[in-house]
């Protein structure tokens, strides 16, 4: 990964290489963490964070669901993130906030272990490749089933839950596929290892609904809004595995991946990116990059550092001083 200079950790900006944790940190042993994946894009109004508030609200909710008192408000984390982006000098980047049980107490019930909170930003290109975004990716239905809501909380973006995604992704990669699709225990389609999924059936968009074991994706929500605004019908319902094979079109969407067409599932060719997929992808990209006026309010613009009272440009040192 590409380094940047600073990481925000527990209220302070620390040098990237100094943002360390103890090996007896609780989260390392038990997966007791919650995180977010957010992107900032270069727009004509400056660097802008896509649906920042929604991501931070989900972080707060995930923390609450796993009994992790955050100690920082969403507003504090938002401010810290803006400052990190300013300090990084990046016009676009990936943003990774994480809150986890830290060092101090072991065992499953460890209410006295502190909850550490950090945010890092770095440049991260197309998650499933530039070529994948253009031409489509090949997906494999995983033999691993998506975590059940009877045992975990699919709606929470929790660190430990990602072992499920990692099993599926590893299996797909080892089989020569770009991405995995996870079904639930009943064989109903849930999502990709790190993306929500949509299919086109008889000209309508279909995606698993809220009762499915999915992460309630913010890209998913954005795509539903965009597709509706463009006049497409969007249906949230159960999707059978075989519907993937007979779909007219299919795509994944997520923060890291953005919108990626699927061109093959389990050896069944769907053809190149479909027409509806391409139209929605173009509008989604416009929304991300601030080119769609109607979705301007989705962008949290990072204002430049305030000028000093003397009216001079703040020096880099002044901006960086803690
Ligand atoms: N499902 C899962 C399981 C998931 O991890 C993501 C995001 C989504 C759906 C899409 O959600 P949203 O980003 O709100 O539209 N996955 C994040 C982590 C990827 C990673 O490898 O790390 C992301 O895209 O940032």
């Amino acid at each position: 990964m590409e380094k940047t200079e600073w990481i925000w950790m527990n209220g302070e900006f620390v040098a990237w290489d100094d943002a360390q944790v103890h090996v007896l940190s609780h989260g390392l042993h038990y997966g007791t963490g919650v995180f977010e994946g957010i992107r900032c894009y270069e727009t004509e109004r400056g660097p802008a964070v896509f649906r920042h508030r929604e991501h931070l609200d989900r972080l707060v909710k995930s923390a609450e669901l796993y009994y992790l008192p955050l100690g920082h408000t969403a507003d504090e984390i938002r401010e810290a993130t803006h400052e990190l982006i300013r300090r990084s000098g990046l016009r676009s980047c990936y943003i990774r906030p994480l809150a986890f049980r830290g060092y101090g107490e072991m065992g499953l019930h460890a209410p006295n272990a502190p909850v550490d909170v950090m945010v890092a930003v770095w440049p991260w290109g197309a998650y499933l490749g530039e070529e994948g975004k253009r031409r489509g990716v090949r997906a494999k239905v995983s033999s691993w089933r998506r975590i059940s809501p009877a045992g975990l909380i699919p709606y929470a973006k929790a660190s430990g839950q990602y072992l499920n995604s990692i099993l599926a992704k590893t299996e797909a990669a080892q089989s020569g596929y770009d991405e995995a699709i996870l079904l639930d225990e009943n064989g109903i389609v849930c999502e990709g290892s790190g993306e929500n999924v949509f299919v086109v059936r008889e000209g309508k968009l279909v995606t698993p609904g809220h009762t499915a074991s999915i992460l309630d994706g913010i890209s998913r929500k954005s795509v539903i809004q965009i597709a509706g605004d463009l006049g497409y019908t969007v249906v949230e319902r159960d999707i059978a595995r075989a519907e993937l094979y007979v779909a007219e079109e299919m795509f994944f969407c997520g923060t890291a991946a953005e919108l990626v067409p699927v061109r093959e599932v389990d050896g069944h060719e769907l053809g190149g990116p479909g027409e509806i997929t391409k139209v929605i992808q173009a509008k989604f990209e416009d929304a991300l990059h601030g080119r769609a006026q109607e979705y301007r309010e989705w962008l949290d613009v990072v204002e430049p550092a305030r000028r000093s009272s003397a009216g001079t440009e703040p020096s880099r040192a002044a901006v960086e001083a803690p």
Side-chain angles (χ1 to χ4, degrees), residues 9-322:
M9 209 170 164
N10 297 326
E12 280 166 45
F13 292 93
V14 298
W16 179 282
D17 290 330
D18 297 334
Q20 311 269 0
V21 296
H22 197 280
V23 291
L24 293 175
S25 296
H26 197 270
L28 216 46
H29 295 247
Y30 306 114
T32 41
V34 295
F35 68 101
E36 270 304 316
I38 314 174
R39 275 192 190 271
C40 170
Y41 293 90
E42 176 161 19
T43 74
E44 58 178 31
R45 290 187 288 156
V49 182
F50 187 69
R51 307 200 80 167
H52 204 178
R53 174 58 61 185
E54 286 90 337
H55 280 283
L56 293 175
D57 286 349
R58 190 170 65 186
L59 180 73
V60 168
K61 186 37 97 180
S62 297
E64 196 263 320
L65 289 169
Y66 279 106
Y67 310 103
L68 298 171
L70 270 185
H72 296 275
T73 62
D75 280 334
E76 281 168 347
I77 298 170
R78 173 176 171 269
E79 281 303 320
T81 303
H82 279 208
E83 180 59 16
L84 262 186
I85 294 167
R86 277 193 289 269
R87 288 178 180 221
S88 75
L90 293 168
R91 311 296 297 171
S92 63
C93 58
Y94 186 78
I95 303 164
R96 169 55 55 82
L98 168 72
F100 60 100
R101 280 258 179 231
Y103 168 71
E105 186 174 29
M106 269 295 165
L108 301 185
H109 186 60
N112 297 315
V115 174
D116 291 325
V117 185
M118 56 76 55
V119 183
V121 303
W122 68 87
W124 200 0
Y127 189 63
L128 297 177
E130 276 304 330
E131 165 122 342
K133 279 181 73 177
R134 262 196 322 275
R135 295 190 45 230
V137 294
R138 300 173 56 245
K140 179 191 186 334
V141 172
S142 183
S143 68
W144 297 101
R145 296 301 168 100
R146 173 75 176 146
I147 50 168
S148 158
L152 286 163
I153 309 170
Y155 252 53
K157 201 165 170 62
S159 303
Q161 298 187 166
Y162 276 81
L163 285 174
N164 176 239
S165 295
I166 287 170
L167 282 174
K169 179 82 182 192
T170 304
E171 181 187 65
Q174 287 178 347
S175 313
Y177 286 86
D178 302 304
E179 186 52 290
I181 295 174
L182 290 101
L183 312 179
D184 71 10
E185 286 161 351
N186 300 314
I188 301 298
V189 173
C190 295
E191 59 184 342
S193 72
E195 310 85 12
N196 290 109
V197 66
F198 284 77
V199 295
V200 176
R201 300 269 286 138
E202 297 176 335
K204 294 182 184 134
L205 280 149
V206 187
T207 195
H210 288 279
T211 51
S213 293
I214 59 169
L215 182 74
D216 187 15
I218 290 160
S219 315
R220 171 188 182 278
K221 196 177 358 186
S222 307
V223 164
I224 290 173
Q225 173 85 41
I226 287 169
D229 292 348
L230 289 170
Y232 296 109
T233 302
V234 184
V235 186
E236 294 179 55
R237 65 156 171 84
D238 287 353
I239 298 175
R241 174 178 188 161
E243 288 192 271
L244 301 175
Y245 304 153
V246 299
E248 291 133 49
E249 304 181 19
M250 187 184 322
F251 61 85
F252 288 125
C253 66
T255 298
E258 299 169 327
L259 196 154
V260 179
V262 178
R263 65 182 160 89
E264 185 202 310
V265 189
D266 291 347
H268 301 283
E269 288 289 342
L270 302 177
E275 286 312 310
I276 295 174
T277 300
K278 283 197 272 189
V279 170
I280 294 170
Q281 185 183 36
K283 187 56 108 178
F284 184 65
E285 289 281 334
D286 284 348
L288 297 177
H289 294 273
R291 296 187 297 256
Q293 284 306 310
E294 62 273 44
Y295 306 118
R296 260 173 85 102
E297 76 276 15
W298 286 350
L299 293 170
D300 179 22
V301 176
V302 179
E303 301 296 341
R306 246 169 280 134
R307 282 162 172 271
S308 68
S309 52
T312 53
E313 203 66 50
S315 71
R316 205 168 152 70
V319 174
E320 282 172 6

